[in-house]
Structures are given as C-alpha cells and as structure tokens.
C-alpha cells in the first residue's frame, strides 16, 4: 500500500470508469455471451509474478465487459434498479480507502455513530414513527440486503416468542404474508427452521391489485389459533417485486397487534418514493409495524449494498444475535455505553457503508432526491399511457411507482398462446441488446416488467425502448399469428 | 451520474485517500473519542439542498477521521488484520463503478464466471483437493464474512441430515468444535435453530497449545450417540482467533467421516499462509473436509469483504438455499447451464467481489504474496524473541503464524493481580494512540494479542511498538507492585 502508487493507479481507474459511463450506451444492455465464455479466455492458474495495470485493464475491456449486464445503462429496465451515483461511488471509494471493519463501536466509533445519525435522518425524511429513532429503544442499521433484514427480524421474532413458550414450540410457529411477498421471506423461514407448511402465502388477485386482504389474514390467523398453532410473524409489502402492490398496512397491523404477531414492513423498492409527501400515504399504518426496511441501493442513488432496517425494539435483535467472546470485549461495550452493530446482523465484520448514504444525502439534498424519484414516476406514467394507446398491448396492473406491468393482448382469448408470445417478445427484446426488461406472472398471465429507475434514464430512452418493443411485437404478430 | 463529474470528483477523492495514507502514522491508531462524540457535530436532519464536495471532505477530516480506528496503520496489531491494498482498492473502485448486482448468471455473467475461475486459482495455490474445484460437484464462492460461510454450510448440513431423519429431529442434532472456535459458530447455531445445549465446545488446554484433541471429539460423539442424539457438524480451525491454534484436521476428519458428520474447516485467518509450501502442512487432512473457508480480506491484500468458501457438494448448499421465483426465472438457469450464486448464500443480491481478488492475484502474483506472508511471520518470530528476552514478560503460546500471545509475568504466583496488571497494560498501551493491540484469555490468563499483518507494517514499527509496551509495563510495575 504505497500512497503514490495508489494515487497514480487510482487516477487511472477513475478515468477508466468515467470513460465507461461515457460509452455505456454502446454496449448491449444484457450481456450476450454464452455460458462458460470466460473459461477459455483466462489462464488456468494465478500468475507467479506481477502483471501490469495496463494488462489488467485491457482484460477488463476485452474479456470482462462483454460478460457484464449493464445495470447502469439508461435502458436497463429489468428487475428493480440498483442505483449507482457519483456521491455513492465517492462513498464506496472512501470506505474502501479507509479500510476499517466496524463490528463494535470501539473498532471505529465513527462508523457506528455516523450510521445511527444517517439512519435517523432518513427515518425523519420518511416520517417514520419516533420509536424507530435511535434515541429510545429503537434504531436503524444498515444490512447488506433486504434478505438479511428480513432474516434478522424473523430470528428476533422467533426467539422472542420461543423464550416465552419454549423452544420445542418451533414447529408450531406460523408466518403470514401475501403470495406476492419477495422470495427472501421463504428463504429466511427455511434458514430459521420455520416449518414450510406453516408459511401462509395468502392468495391475492387483481381485485385488490395483488394487495393482501386483511380478511384473508384474519381468517388464516383464526384458523391457525384454533388448530393450536402460534401465529408470530407477518410481512407486509409496500411495492411488491412483481407489480408494486401495496399491502394495507394499518388494517394488517391491527390484526398483528391484537395477536401479538411481529409485523415487518418490506418497502425495499418503493420506500424511496415515500420521502415525497404525495407518496407518503403508502406508508400509512407503518406506526403499527415492529420493523421497516428500505433499500437505499435500489432507487436512492446509493451504491449496492445498503439496505436500511429500522426496529422499535433493538433488544429483540440483540438478544437473538449477540455474541460476546473474550477477544472482542472492551470497556465501552461492557459498560453498555455504545451500540455494537455486530449484534444487529448476521456477520461479525461490517464495512463503513454509512459514508455513501451520508454523501448521497449531503451532495444531493432531500429536494433533489424527491425530484429524482418524481421524474422516474412521471416517465412510468408516460409509458403506461403509450402502452394503453397501443391495441396490441394492455396494462396489466395500474402503475403506482416507476414500474409498468403490461403484455401483448391475447387473440381470441387464447391465454396460452398469449403467454408464449409474450415470452418470445421478452427474449426478442432482450436479445436485441438495446434494452433489458424482465417478467413475472400475475394470475397465470405472463407479464412484462418495465422498471424505470436507472439514474441515466431520460424520456428519450423510455420512448426508444418502447419503440423497440413495438417493433418486435409487430414482427411476432406478423410471423406467428394465424 | 455524470461521467465528467465522476471524473472530477473521483480524482479529488483519490488524492484525498492517497494523502490519508501519507499521513496515516500521525493519527492515534485506536480512536480516542468518547461515546456519542459525533452526535453534536452533525445536524439533526439531512440537508434539503446540495452541499459541496469540499464541505463533505472537510467534515470527513474534522469530524469523521477523529472517530476512525486506523486499521491500515502500520501499528495496528489488534484482532486480526483487514488488509487493504492498491490492487484491492482498484478492484473495489471498479466493482462500485460498474454497479452490477450478480445474483444470477444472467444478471452479469462475468461476475459469476470470474468468481468461479478465481476461486479455482486460489484452490490450486492452496493445493486443496480436486473436489473443491468448480469442474465437478464442488466449487468455491465468495461470502461476505466467515460468519456467513459457516452459517450456510451449517444450514446445508442441517437440511441434509433432516431430509433423511425428518425435521422433528432438529432438537437431536449435535455440533462439535473446540472451545477456541470462533463465536460465529455458536451464532450460526443460534440462527439455524440448533439447540445450544447440543453444541459441544470441547475443552482445550496448553498441553496441545489449545488444539482440539481427537480423543475428546471421539468421546463426545460416542456419548451423544449412546444418548440417542445425532452428531452432524464439526468445525475444525486452522489458526484460532485467540492464539492461532491448529486443530489436527486428519484425525478429526477421520472421526467425522466414520460418523457421517459434516466437517467444516475454518482457516479464516491462517489460510493465507498456507499458499507457502512450508506452511501447507497445517492444512494436511483438509481432504477429509466437506467445506473450507479462508478470508482473503484478512491477510491476503484483498479489501473487506471477501471471504472464500469451498464445498465439495454444491448441491447440499443449493438444496438448502435455493429460491426460484417467477421474476428471476431465465433460460440459462432453467436449463441448468449455469451457476446462480444466489443459491449459495444468504442474501439475494451480491457485489462483483471477484474483481478485487483477481486484481490482487494479477497485480502482485503468487510469489510476491508468499513473500508478503513470510515477512509478517518473520516479524512475529522476531517479536516473540524480544518478548522472551524480557524477564517482565512471557510468551504464552508459541507463535506459529504472525500472532504473538504474551503477558507480563505474575509476581509471587498471584494470577489475579497479574491479570489486572495486563488489563491495565492493554489500556495504557491503546490509550497512548501509538499502537493498538487486543487481548484474549487462555486457561484463565489474561493474554495480550499482537497480530502482525497490516500491509504497511515494517520491522521498525514492531520494534517501536514493543518499546512502548515495555515502557508502559515498567511504569505499571513501578507504580503498583508491592
């Protein structure tokens, strides 16, 4: 670690990355390589002796970039976005540069304290209830991903109830969510040893735009109680992965509360929008939640990974996840003067991730971030209108945030052929390299997902992408329809 | 994300970080701030409008750096090192710059394929058995930390045995390790729902330098089998956290094999040393292991986080951790043509972490990395000799790698006073700001841990640090001893 070598090579890498962004629109958005492509391009073993930065950067250009799917491209509309930004990038650089590991307060006090402060800032921007702030029993913490966030609160909830009913009751614990809930909930259940037959993925349909009906929850809970089971965890979602459905938090929370069920709210994607007053309504009822999660690395200009989790009762987390080996003991921790985030998460080590979120908030400011969100939502509204004007297409669920769910309409009510055609359309569009979209199914319909949210996306990119979709659709219709 | 703004600010940040390394020796190594110091230095809420990069960097200097414990300082000797390097830093920059999320092959093929290749490279450097390579049923994967590595293999092992004996047998599952094993094992057991009274942390002592005796394991397994319990997981360690004890892998593995116990080898710290032929002996017996873990982010010049896990049976992992929601389905995955690392880990999302490891291997080369390791081990040997020459001190366990465990000797066999004195010495040394060391206990003795391994550490830093320790010790002896 020579400071002058770092300076020289660091500058070179900055230029490499800046040049990448300058030319990002020239790459096929979804990588077009075949499985195993890299194996023959790289040697069988590590070199014995140093190679030069030029050699490595040449290889990045020639061998790595063709295999990259360009998430930061302005025509990346698949999944949900994973925002990168100048501020987020600077924060990542600084975090990597300082090279600290902030598991306990003492291992780098600024890492813990900045995280507490910045999570409070964001809680205020989201107008979260006071109990989520760090000054009382609650507080926020940066997890890697929403999967880890839901796992740690599930474990906290599990252990809280098992402490009172005894750990042999594990097989009686029941989890609730809609069938639209992210797959990370089932994975967390699997990890935590919750019996999968006790995971109630309650059916939703288009009548509620795929939101969970409180009556379904109440019915399921009552049935489980009658059967002697123990309802203990509910996940509500604000902005589901398939179609941005918003579960009715207040009504769900009421049922959770009266049955002593831990209520987790997953707003991984749509949480960002709720800093705008006009979208805050979608969080109404969050005051009944025990925990709340939003991914700053999705749609909030903060580089992956940076998943924000707030809890009302930090002790539920720490009772489940604390370790206290001799080699980590230290005075401030033993005296309970500080927060040790190692006990709020799965791993021991942790990066200084609050730096990038702090930089995003300071270098852009709340008002700019709101405009950023609003612009994407406007682009989605515009696209939704374009789709609805084309008789070959239909909007499948109304767009609430920045995702548009649509499909080519069935001909003669033939849903099977329609699904196949939409599947073929997806492949044709993505193989063009001009844009990348993804799909889902809703009530058996194969649906195309067009998620707007890359920082570089402008109106022209959406319009051009839509044209490509229309062209490919016309071609499919001309060549395949009877 | 404007490429010219990224270029301008990126260059500024490179200079900021290079300057930090130039002056790193001027900071107190362990931050000397008091709990809560940052709260009064920062505003109560996020700004509404953008601030400048200058303002933020000034705040980093004035408000953040005082609260940083400087892991990259040449006199950071606490815990185990968390290496940063120019190559590792460049890899982090590139990963943040590309901003991809590589959960499935299709989401960025290069991320998955480079990871497979680089993990194969390292497996070859470590001379791991062929079954750990990616060409068969095995393979390597980058986890965030050793805690996550041990959790995923514990879950894999748990589910493998529960598939054959039924999930109600969870309460009968037994885990084995020495009492020196890292706390992450117990935490993983807690998360996975293993009953803590079934976790056998087998006693070790100085007679084996705190290595696990195979006889202890055999005895415990036999007793548990007699009691109708189900032994299912063994963790052996190469280089324990307290004192770098090395468990006898071959003998332990034999017992594990004959009892169908999953054998995990944790070489988080010391694994790096085993790329040198003269230290490879400490891995003898790894061929009996089901999984093997080494942290490239500790002592291998690769920035945190980068924990390397190899398994012989990737399907044990994926059967336990797979999810397959509609919105992530894609042709190459459905056709089983590719590896989707999301099913080898807890989170869904993942960064392009193989880039930094690839850059470390290429920009330094295997021979340079071996010299790097050997130099630290030599410095530790030299320090061990200095300690043993000072009548006020004793070496507590022989140094094998780059950790020296020592203490001030007891006067008149008074162990209690001795422990207090060493505790006071630790605090005096760390409060000086000149170096940072940590501690552990071994057989009731309070022991100082001096872990060499920061990239900037040279012989002079170790010598000066030792002088500070001697001075503080003399002062304590003069002022406190009867």
């Amino acid at each position: 670690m020579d400071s002058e070598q770092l300076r020289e090579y660091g500058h070179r890498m900055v230029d490499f990355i800046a040049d990448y962004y300058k030319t990002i629109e020239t790459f096929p958005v979804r990588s077009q390589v075949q499985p195993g492509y890299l194996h023959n391009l790289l040697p069988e073993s590590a070199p014995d002796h140093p190679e030069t930065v030029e050699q490595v950067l040449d290889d990045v250009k020639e061998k790595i970039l063709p295999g990259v799917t360009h998430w930061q491209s302005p025509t990346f509309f698949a999944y949900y976005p994973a925002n990168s930004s100048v501020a987020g990038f600077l924060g990542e650089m600084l975090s990597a540069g300082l090279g600290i590991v902030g598991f306990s307060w003492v291992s780098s006090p600024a890492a813990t304290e900045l995280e507490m402060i910045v999570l409070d800032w964001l809680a205020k921007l989201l107008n979260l209830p006071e109990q989520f702030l760090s000054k009382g029993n609650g507080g926020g913490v940066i997890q890697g991903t929403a999967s880890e966030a839901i796992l740690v609160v599930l474990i906290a909830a599990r252990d809280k109830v098992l402490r009172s009913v005894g750990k042999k009751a594990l097989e009686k614990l029941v989890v609730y969510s809609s069938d639209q809930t992210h797959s990370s909930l089932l994975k967390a259940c699997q990890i935590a040893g919750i019996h999968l037959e006790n995971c109630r993925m309650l059916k939703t349909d288009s009548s509620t735009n795929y939101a969970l009906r409180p009556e379904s929850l109440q019915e399921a809970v009552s049935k489980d109680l009658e059967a002697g089971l123990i309802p203990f965890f509910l996940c509500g979602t604000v902005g589901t992965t398939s179609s941005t459905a918003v579960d009715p938090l207040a009504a769900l929370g009421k049922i959770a509360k009266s049955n002593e069920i831990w209520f987790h709210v997953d707003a991984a994607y749509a949480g960002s929008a709720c800093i705008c007053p006009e979208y805050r309504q979608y969080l109404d009822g969050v005051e009944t939640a025990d925990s709340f999660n939003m991914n700053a690395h999705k749609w909030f200009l903060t580089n992956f990974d940076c998943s924000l989790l707030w809890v009302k009762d930090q002790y539920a987390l720490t009772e489940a996840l604390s370790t206290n080996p001799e080699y980590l003991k230290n005075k401030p921790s033993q005296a309970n003067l500080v927060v040790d985030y190692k006990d709020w998460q799965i791993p021991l080590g942790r990066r200084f991730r609050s730096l990038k979120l702090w930089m995003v908030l300071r270098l852009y400011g709340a008002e700019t971030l709101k405009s950023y969100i609003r612009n994407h939502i406007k682009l989605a509204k515009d696209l939704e209108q374009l789709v609805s004007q084309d008789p070959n297409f239909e909007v499948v669920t109304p767009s609430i945030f920045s995702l548009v769910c649509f499909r080519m309409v069935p001909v003669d009510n033939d849903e099977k052929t329609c699904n196949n055609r939409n599947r073929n359309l997806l492949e044709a569009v993505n193989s063009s390299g001009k844009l990348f979209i993804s799909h889902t199914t809703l009530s058996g319909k194969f649906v195309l997902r067009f998620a707007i949210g890359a920082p570089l996306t402008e109106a022209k990119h959406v319009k051009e992408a839509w044209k490509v979709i229309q062209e490919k659709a016309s071609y499919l219709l001309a060549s395949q329809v009877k």
Side-chain angles (χ1 to χ4, degrees), chain A:
Chain A
M1 177 50 90
D2 174 80
S3 63
E4 292 316 307
Q5 196 189 61
L6 182 141
R7 197 186 306 272
E8 183 194 337
Y9 293 168
H11 284 311
R12 212 173 306 180
M13 186 59 89
V14 166
D15 286 329
F16 185 91
I17 294 167
D19 292 343
Y20 167 68
Y21 278 95
K22 248 178 133 164
T23 58
I24 195 166
E25 296 190 45
T26 64
F27 297 97
V29 187
R30 191 196 68 182
S31 168
Q32 307 286 323
V33 299
Q34 294 302 308
Y37 90 100
L38 194 56
H39 185 76
N40 295 327
L41 299 179
L42 292 182
E44 288 289 311
S45 50
D48 280 336
H49 301 290
E51 298 182 73
T52 66
V53 172
E54 286 69 33
Q55 285 172 312
V56 174
L57 287 182
D58 284 348
D59 274 1
V60 171
K61 258 191 203 158
E62 288 159 27
K63 298 170 185 170
I64 301 298
L65 285 186
V68 165
T69 291
H70 301 274
W71 285 65
Q72 303 309 321
S73 164
T75 52
F76 181 98
F77 303 114
Y79 314 121
Y80 276 132
N83 280 187
S84 182
S85 68
V86 175
F89 178 69
L90 295 178
E92 283 285 6
M93 279 179 75
L94 185 57
S95 168
L98 294 178
I100 65 103
V101 184
F103 45 76
S104 304
W105 179 87
V106 74
S107 74
S108 245
T112 298
E113 297 200 10
L114 186 64
E115 188 160 327
M116 294 169 73
I117 290 168
V118 172
L119 274 274
D120 278 350
W121 284 8
L122 214 65
K124 288 175 192 169
L125 276 180
L126 288 164
N127 202 9
L128 293 184
E130 286 258 314
Q131 299 110 296
F132 283 125
L133 296 179
S134 67
K135 63 185 171 191
N137 288 337
V141 58
I142 301 179
Q143 304 280 332
T145 62
S147 306
E148 288 151 273
I150 204 165
L151 176 58
V152 297
V153 295
L154 185 78
I155 301 277
R158 180 197 70 182
D159 287 3
K160 196 172 171 182
V161 62
L162 291 185
R163 274 194 297 276
S164 73
V165 299
K167 61 193 165 194
K168 293 211 171 189
L170 179 67
E171 63 193 53
K172 292 187 181 171
L173 300 188
V174 189
V175 170
Y176 305 85
S177 76
S178 88
D179 58 0
Q180 299 299 309
T181 301
H182 193 270
S183 59
S184 56
L185 174 62
L186 264 188
K187 184 159 174 169
C189 289
Q190 170 76 9
I191 292 166
I194 307 301
H195 288 203
L196 294 187
E197 64 269 26
N198 290 348
C199 297
R200 312 272 173 261
M201 308 283 127
L202 304 167
K203 206 171 157 3
T204 59
D205 58 37
S206 60
S207 71
T208 60
N209 283 325
Y210 301 95
L212 178 55
R213 289 170 52 246
E215 301 77 32
S216 304
L217 175 66
Q218 183 59 64
E219 200 180 312
V221 169
S222 301
K223 214 170 129 189
D224 288 327
L225 284 172
E226 266 169 44
L229 297 175
I230 306 172
F232 91 107
F233 192 85
L234 165 68
C235 177
T237 305
V238 176
T240 58
T241 308
S242 278
S243 67
T244 69
V246 176
D247 289 336
L249 302 188
L252 297 178
K254 210 172 152 190
I255 300 169
K257 266 237 157 355
S258 63
N259 291 281
E260 291 177 64
I261 294 172
W262 183 296
F263 183 26
H264 176 67
V265 173
D266 171 0
Y269 154 71
S272 299
C274 303
I275 64 163
C276 304
E278 68 272 32
Y279 299 110
R280 175 57 177 77
Q281 57 174 303
Y282 296 112
L283 291 191
D284 284 355
V286 69
E287 59 278 6
T288 62
D290 296 284
S291 49
F292 176 79
N293 172 234
M294 159 202 150
N295 284 349
H297 62 238
K298 276 197 164 65
W299 192 18
F300 206 71
L301 291 170
T302 312
N303 288 44
F304 184 88
D305 48 1
C306 193
S307 178
L308 315 180
L309 172 69
W310 288 269
V311 293
K312 281 186 183 165
D313 176 12
Q314 61 174 270
Y315 303 106
L317 273 188
T318 55
E319 280 200 52
L321 297 169
S322 286
T323 56
N324 192 21
E326 184 64 36
Y327 45 81
L328 296 181
K329 285 182 184 165
N330 63 87
K331 279 189 179 174
S333 298
Q334 300 293 100
N336 267 322
L337 294 174
V338 294
V339 161
D340 287 331
Y341 274 132
K342 71 181 176 61
D343 298 331
W344 296 47
Q345 64 174 20
I346 305 295
L348 171 58
R350 57 202 322 270
R351 301 191 299 135
F352 198 163
R353 287 182 290 212
S354 54
L355 280 175
K356 57 186 172 187
L357 183 55
W358 183 56
M359 291 206 174
V360 164
L361 288 166
R362 292 194 61 184
L363 292 178
Y364 301 132
E367 289 306 317
T368 315
L369 288 162
K370 288 175 197 170
S371 308
Y372 172 75
I373 295 283
R374 285 173 181 139
N375 179 49
H376 285 149
I377 296 179
K378 187 188 171 305
L379 295 181
K381 280 272 163 252
D382 294 346
L383 174 64
E384 189 180 34
Q385 201 165 0
L386 289 174
V387 173
S388 61
Q389 284 162 359
D390 185 327
N392 289 332
F393 286 89
E394 66 178 2
V395 173
V396 179
T397 53
S399 172
I400 309 179
F401 302 105
S402 70
L403 173 73
V404 183
C405 289
F406 64 98
R407 64 168 187 165
M408 292 176 75
V409 290
V411 178
D412 299 335
N413 285 320
D414 182 350
E415 285 288 338
K416 200 176 158 197
T417 304
C418 176
N419 279 352
N420 277 337
R421 189 175 295 129
N422 279 289
R423 199 184 304 270
N424 290 335
L425 176 59
L426 177 76
E427 189 50 34
V429 164
N430 290 339
S431 297
S432 77
K434 291 182 182 161
L435 67 154
F436 185 23
I437 56 176
S438 58
H439 81 284
T440 190
T441 53
L442 291 168
S443 305
K445 296 175 185 170
F446 189 95
V447 176
L448 303 176
R449 293 175 72 267
F450 192 113
I452 297 170
L456 290 171
T457 302
E458 298 170 26
K460 67 176 180 187
H461 299 110
V462 177
K463 274 183 209 149
E464 282 161 25
W466 173 239
K467 253 190 226 161
V468 174
I469 295 171
Q470 284 180 309
E471 281 164 22
K472 298 287 176 192
S474 302
Y475 179 81
L476 282 177
L477 282 170
S479 60
Q480 288 185 9
V481 171
K482 293 172 222 170

